[in-house]
Amino acid sequence: MNVLVINAGSSSLKYQLFDMKNEKILAKGLCDRIGLDGHLKHKPEANDKPVYDEDISLPTHAEAISAVIEKLTSDEYGVISSLSEINAVGHRVVHGGRKFSSSVLINDEVVAAIEDCVRLAPLHNPANLMGIRACQEGMPNVPQVAVFDTAFHNTIPEYAYTYPIPYKYYEENDIRRYGFHGTSHRFVSDVALQELGLKNGKSRLITCHLGNGSSLAAIFSGKSVDTTMGVTPLEGIPMGTRCGSVDPSLVDIIASVDGISLKEAMDVLNKKSGVLGIYGKSSDFRDIETAAGVNIDTGFMKEGAPIDARAKLALDVFSYQVAKFIGSYVVALGGLDALVFTAGIGENSPYVRRSICKHLGGIGLYINEKVNAVRVSEYLDVSGEKTKPKVLVIPTNEELAIARDTIEIVKK
């Protein structure tokens, strides 16, 4: 059974086609600059056929889906013989609000509910809907499944998701903590529980999805009980360009100081803050680590290398804030069995992992410096000899998680 996984953005559409008999990728690609000049990169993975990487007219997401189907089935670039070999489509949908606690088969009622959540995710849900509608138009007889970033966090208790603001905003406007990256947190926590033999018993995990967008989750017996992102992805730890949790009065202060609107001030906090705001030159952790004198492959400092003070400060702020949230989640969980690092930074930055863990000796958490000093391609235990909780690095695979959910829903 083949599943096409779609992640639609406002001007882009990422895709992967899986053969779910063995969970192997048959092909993957990216339609970029949709509505502008258009570009498609398509890479077959299941055969020796060439990569397609060309500018192409993509006025809308409908043309993007048509181009994807054409490449998947073409003689020169294809991996399947016809559209009939795509058995289901799984869509990443960012916000499911209070309505969705799990993945669902898409119908008119589900589409309407996703539309209702546009007010909570105005940048993401409209793009997700464009991807869904394009697939419904291009593949009208193929079942479609929605997999929500927020669904995994629907188990967070009321006292953890309720904001201390007038309660009417929750009752009338659904304003509460929702959290994101749920598909990733669920995937890596499942792997950790399986590897540690804790799948069917009480367990306490903290998963750290660290990338350009970053979030942590506290997971008790496989269920999310708290997470750092809130009603939007701006809350929580500092990120590439997002500020994370700060004094909310900063919005008004920045607007006043710079003579800009409140919306423009929010753009500063979303797009010009985080490690970019501190370092000032890049939001890419590889650039920041290099500027701070770090060997990005091992995570150790380069002897004699110049150190940019603001690059070092950006890394220190990030590591401290992550460690601070980890400490608070140990309290929320009543202890800790394992700390899990994942996503672009969590998997690929030995320096960041080591810097975070240096703050955590007080809870008995240490790492093995030698084992940690590697780039990770699969599950890795980097726990130190003295550590009580395990420290793990687990590559995430949100697309595979979406494909698995899609198969499960379609087979019901």
Side-chain angles (χ1 to χ4, degrees):
M1 194 170 189
N2 297 330
V3 174
L4 179 63
V5 173
I6 297 291
N7 182 354
S10 58
S11 62
S12 66
L13 188 146
K14 297 178 185 177
Y15 64 93
Q16 290 190 17
L17 181 65
F18 286 89
D19 178 353
M20 294 306 290
K21 286 182 296 188
N22 50 22
E23 296 190 337
K24 297 296 184 184
I25 299 173
L26 299 178
K28 61 183 178 181
L30 170 65
C31 297
D32 202 11
R33 299 182 63 79
I34 298 171
L36 301 170
D37 45 359
H39 187 91
L40 170 59
K41 183 173 183 179
H42 168 82
K43 184 181 180 183
E45 298 278 355
N47 52 40
D48 295 327
K49 291 185 179 179
V51 173
Y52 179 89
D53 192 1
E54 301 287 345
D55 291 337
I56 182 175
S57 177
L58 299 173
T60 71
H61 285 70
E63 284 82 9
I65 288 295
S66 294
V68 170
I69 293 170
E70 191 277 324
K71 287 295 174 286
L72 288 171
T73 58
S74 72
D75 290 337
E76 187 174 2
Y77 303 101
V79 293
I80 54 176
S81 59
S82 71
L83 179 59
S84 65
E85 293 184 44
I86 299 177
N87 304 106
V89 180
H91 295 267
R92 177 193 179 222
V93 180
V94 168
H95 217 304
R98 288 200 272 172
K99 297 177 177 66
F100 299 106
S101 58
S102 61
S103 303
V104 294
L105 190 68
I106 295 173
N107 55 27
D108 290 345
E109 184 180 347
V110 169
V111 169
I114 296 171
E115 286 176 333
D116 185 55
C117 290
V118 166
R119 60 198 166 84
L120 299 171
L123 298 179
H124 297 93
N125 273 33
N128 302 153
L129 284 164
M130 284 190 282
I132 289 169
R133 290 180 172 126
C135 287
Q136 288 177 324
E137 180 180 334
M139 295 176 275
N141 299 316
V142 180
Q144 320 267 332
V145 171
V147 180
F148 300 94
D149 274 9
T150 51
F152 180 61
H153 301 303
N154 239 279
T155 52
I156 291 174
E158 186 177 19
Y159 59 77
Y161 70 63
T162 300
Y163 285 121
I165 59 177
Y167 196 69
K168 69 172 185 174
Y169 293 114
Y170 171 68
E171 291 181 305
E172 298 173 12
N173 307 106
D174 296 331
I175 295 174
R176 50 157 281 186
R177 179 181 310 284
Y178 287 100
F180 300 90
H181 298 137
T183 307
S184 175
H185 287 295
R186 174 164 58 98
F187 181 87
V188 298
S189 63
D190 281 347
V191 173
L193 293 175
Q194 199 70 49
E195 292 285 344
L196 297 174
L198 298 172
K199 188 70 177 173
N200 299 314
K202 290 189 181 297
S203 58
R204 299 161 300 181
L205 304 180
I206 297 172
T207 51
C208 304
H209 178 106
L210 307 181
N212 190 53
S214 298
S215 67
L216 276 61
I219 301 171
F220 185 80
S221 294
K223 294 183 178 181
S224 177
V225 295
D226 207 346
T227 190
T228 53
M229 285 182 169
V231 68
T232 76
L234 186 60
E235 190 179 359
I237 61 176
M239 305 172 217
T241 65
R242 297 182 187 128
C243 61
S245 296
V246 295
D247 185 334
S249 295
L250 274 178
V251 180
D252 186 54
I253 292 170
I254 289 170
S256 298
V257 168
D258 284 353
I260 58 178
S261 68
L262 292 179
K263 183 179 183 303
E264 289 171 321
M266 286 301 300
D267 282 343
V268 171
L269 298 182
N270 269 294
K271 300 175 182 178
K272 299 177 182 179
S273 299
V275 293
L276 171 63
I278 299 171
Y279 175 44
K281 298 176 183 178
S282 175
S283 63
D284 191 312
F285 272 69
R286 292 166 296 187
D287 295 338
I288 300 171
E289 288 182 14
T290 299
V294 177
N295 181 324
I296 63 173
D297 292 318
T298 66
F300 294 115
M301 302 299 293
K302 295 178 183 176
E303 188 174 348
I307 296 174
D308 183 305
R310 279 173 55 182
K312 180 66 165 55
L313 177 61
L315 295 173
D316 289 346
V317 169
F318 179 81
S319 299
Y320 172 71
Q321 292 295 331
V322 173
K324 189 165 70 170
F325 271 106
I326 290 169
S328 70
Y329 283 175
V330 172
V331 173
L333 291 166
L336 184 63
D337 295 308
L339 176 69
V340 179
F341 290 104
T342 194
I345 298 164
E347 295 169 30
N348 297 303
S349 176
Y351 178 84
V352 167
R353 296 194 297 262
R354 185 161 53 89
S355 297
I356 292 168
C357 291
K358 277 187 174 180
H359 292 287
L360 300 172
I363 60 171
L365 195 151
Y366 305 91
I367 62 170
N368 183 312
E369 297 273 5
K370 184 176 180 180
V371 176
N372 180 63
V374 298
R375 288 186 173 271
V376 178
S377 59
E378 55 188 17
Y379 176 96
L380 183 68
D381 186 336
V382 297
S383 310
E385 288 183 12
K386 297 186 293 182
T387 196
K388 294 177 182 177
K390 290 286 187 180
V391 185
L392 310 174
V393 185
I394 301 176
T396 192
N397 195 333
E398 293 170 275
E399 292 79 10
L400 178 56
I402 292 170
R404 286 173 175 172
D405 275 17
T406 300
I407 284 292
E408 185 177 339
I409 295 293
V410 168
K411 284 184 174 180
K412 286 182 178 178

